[in-house]
Amino acid sequence: MLLLGLKVYGESDMRIGLMGGTFNPVHLAHVHIAEEARQACALDRVIFIPAGDPPHKPLAGEVPFARRSRMVMLAISGNPFFELSEIEGERSGKSYSIDTIHAFRELFPQDELYFIVGSDSFLEIGLWHRFQEIFASCNLIVVERPGKHISDLVEALPVAIRAEFSYTSGDRRLDHTAGTSVRFLSGCPLDISSSEIRALAASGRPITHLVPPQVAAYITEQRIYNTCR
């Protein structure tokens, strides 16, 4: 597993953010969400985790893991608080989030883990593999995405686990009986989608306003999405 700038064991306990996704490609909204979560929750670092074999939908364009990982590395290279893990590319089978969380729990048994998701993904979390375990295994940070506002936090939870939470209105936080929490952050104003970027790149139109410049250059040089029409 590749981890850049990983802490040395023996340091004081840390607050580590985990941000997964297909990153096909990684874009400015991903970077913005990670930074919003880092600052709001005082995270010591955020680890980006490209999916190996995403379980919920086919990978558009069948872009290899190595290329998606490279794009993430380029996107985060200027931020000393961001790191890359290739754990899901090294593991066989579907890339289930709960398996990745458990793997990081073994790596960092003394640290606090925060799983970062957009509100669009959170609203579908009840469809995820063993989703109940996610809430009991780590904290969650839910960052609002355009068009996916969550006004009633309890109602946004899967029905099967609502009784396991208590609501703290002042902090927009749900506390789980396991001692973990779900914190809701408002505002990621960048309405960007990876599918939009792929379509633009395939037609030869500019994408520099949607992805970091190093990523735009890499996509163009490698002609990654030229066939994604």
Side-chain angles (χ1 to χ4, degrees):
M1 175 175 60
L2 174 66
L3 279 168
L4 304 180
L6 196 59
K7 78 160 191 173
V8 177
Y9 282 100
E11 294 181 6
S12 58
D13 293 352
M14 303 187 77
R15 298 160 70 94
I16 300 174
L18 306 176
M19 184 160 172
T22 56
F23 300 124
N24 186 31
V26 62
H27 52 65
L28 292 174
H30 292 134
V31 177
H32 183 83
I33 286 172
E35 185 61 20
E36 284 281 312
R38 186 189 73 79
Q39 293 187 28
C41 298
L43 304 179
D44 293 288
R45 60 196 60 202
V46 176
I47 301 174
F48 285 68
I49 311 166
D53 184 3
H56 301 296
K57 56 185 177 181
L59 185 64
E62 299 183 352
V63 179
F65 177 85
R67 283 189 163 183
R68 291 182 288 111
S69 179
R70 177 62 179 168
M71 286 189 280
V72 171
M73 185 179 295
L74 291 169
I76 68 176
S77 60
N79 191 318
F81 299 102
F82 290 173
E83 299 168 7
L84 168 69
S85 168
E86 294 186 333
I87 186 173
E88 292 194 356
E90 298 167 356
R91 188 173 65 219
S92 61
K94 294 292 184 182
S95 298
Y96 293 117
S97 295
I98 186 58
D99 294 331
T100 298
I101 291 168
H102 284 330
F104 276 96
R105 173 54 60 213
E106 292 180 5
L107 282 171
F108 306 115
Q110 304 303 319
D111 297 319
E112 287 190 73
L113 299 182
Y114 292 78
F115 190 64
I116 304 168
V117 297
S119 56
D120 49 347
S121 296
F122 184 78
L123 289 171
E124 298 179 351
I125 202 167
L127 303 175
W128 292 18
H129 181 61
R130 290 157 51 202
F131 72 90
Q132 298 96 327
E133 293 181 42
I134 294 175
F135 291 95
S137 300
C138 67
N139 304 290
L140 273 76
I141 302 173
V142 182
V143 183
E144 184 178 333
R145 298 284 288 121
K148 298 294 181 179
H149 176 68
I150 297 177
S151 55
D152 190 321
L153 309 189
V154 176
E155 287 293 320
L157 290 167
V159 175
I161 60 171
R162 289 177 187 172
E164 300 172 14
F165 288 87
S166 59
Y167 174 46
T168 304
S169 59
D171 294 334
R172 280 182 58 83
R173 190 182 77 234
L174 295 168
D175 295 313
H176 191 269
T177 53
T180 57
S181 66
V182 183
R183 180 164 178 191
F184 294 80
L185 305 181
S186 60
C188 178
L190 301 176
D191 190 5
I192 301 174
S193 72
S194 294
S195 59
E196 173 191 9
I197 297 168
R198 292 193 298 268
L200 289 172
S203 63
R205 287 178 287 174
I207 58 172
T208 51
H209 59 299
L210 302 173
V211 301
Q214 307 96 309
V215 176
Y218 181 75
I219 289 172
T220 300
E221 291 166 4
Q222 299 295 317
R223 302 170 60 85
I224 293 176
Y225 298 112
N226 282 34
T227 60
C228 292
R229 296 186 182 276

